[in-house]
Structure formats: structure tokens, C-alpha cells
Amino acid sequence: MTAAFPADMRLLLAHKQKTSARVRFLRFAHGLSAFQALPALSSVLEDPPASRVEAHPALYLRGAEVLLGLENGGLALEAEFSASVDTPDGPIRVRLATFTSIDPPFELAERLGGKFIAITEARGCVAAEMELLRQAYTALMG
């Protein structure tokens, strides 16, 4: 399931209800990052590495849509969010994408062995994921 993504990139997937602003994150069986877990001993970097060349993350949104079985435009990149995670194998860039549907695609989450959770339901996540969730929630709520 990871062929469409480089090893040094992950996505957080969220849904923000248009009418109520309720935010829920897609939690996979392995954790919160699509499409594979963050490596052990990961920690969020306060300052991303300088002068790093990377492909624009929008290039990977269509790949994520295909992997998730969504139509083109099923995900939108949240440009206000960008984070880097330090791992034993080097930094990983983390971006945030939101589902564009009116309601969260609950069936999709279930098919993937995951579920949509509120930030208050993220107990048990590793520390790096908790920090990424905090930053993503802040970006989504403005």
C-alpha cells in the first residue's frame, strides 16, 4: 500500500465537518500516519531541516486517493500544516490532508481496519503522533 509514497513522507488524514467544525482523524491499526507507522524512537522536530529538496505534496494526494479508493478531489491538502519527524533513518516530512466529503467516510475507515477519532480519543498513540495531532488540530481550527 505504500508504493505511491516516498519513505520519507507521511500524511495525516482528517475530516472537518463544514457545519459544526468537528474534527476527526483517521486512525489506522498501526497509528495515525498514512500509510505506514512512524518508526520507533521518532520525535517531532521543532525546526525542519533546511535546504531540503522535496516534491510538492500535492503530487502524492492523487496516489493517496487511489490507495484509499476515493475519487479525484476526495482529499485536499492543508497548506498551513507541515511538520518534520526525526527518526533513526533520517527526517520524515508529515503533511495534512482532509477528506472533502460532507461526512467522514466511515465505511472506508472500517475497510482499512481503522476508525475516525476525535483528538480526545488519541490516548495510546506514541508521543510523536500526539504532538502531530496537536499541531494538525491547531492548523485546522486556525
Side-chain angles (χ1 to χ4, degrees), residues 18-85:
K18 305 283 189 260
T19 54
S20 67
R22 181 178 183 185
V23 174
R24 291 180 258 200
F25 295 92
L26 180 54
R27 184 177 191 173
F28 298 89
H30 64 261
L32 292 161
S33 65
F35 288 94
Q36 59 185 354
L38 290 172
L41 305 176
S42 295
S43 61
V44 178
L45 293 170
E46 295 220 9
D47 297 313
S51 70
R52 181 172 167 215
V53 177
E54 71 175 281
H56 193 279
L59 294 172
Y60 300 106
L61 280 187
R62 184 62 196 137
E65 291 167 343
V66 169
L67 288 170
L68 295 168
L70 299 171
E71 293 193 18
N72 193 13
L75 291 174
L77 182 68
E78 293 296 323
E80 298 298 315
F81 179 86
S82 178
S84 289
V85 175

Side-chain angles (χ1 to χ4, degrees), residues 26 68 101 103-116:
L26 180 54
L68 295 168
S101 56
D103 293 312
F106 294 111
E107 300 82 23
L108 166 72
E110 191 174 307
R111 184 173 33 109
L112 296 171
K115 65 180 182 175
F116 281 93

Side-chain angles (χ1 to χ4, degrees), residues 67-135:
L67 288 170
L68 295 168
L70 299 171
E71 293 193 18
N72 193 13
L75 291 174
L77 182 68
E78 293 296 323
E80 298 298 315
F81 179 86
S82 178
S84 289
V85 175
D86 187 31
T87 75
D89 297 325
I92 292 177
R93 180 73 67 190
V94 181
R95 299 296 183 157
L96 174 63
T98 55
F99 291 94
T100 59
S101 56
I102 294 172
D103 293 312
F106 294 111
E107 300 82 23
L108 166 72
E110 191 174 307
R111 184 173 33 109
L112 296 171
K115 65 180 182 175
F116 281 93
I117 63 165
I119 194 168
T120 56
E121 299 172 286
R123 285 181 220 96
C125 292
V126 296
E129 288 181 332
M130 292 296 288
E131 176 58 20
L132 290 169
L133 273 187
R134 185 193 67 74
Q135 290 180 19

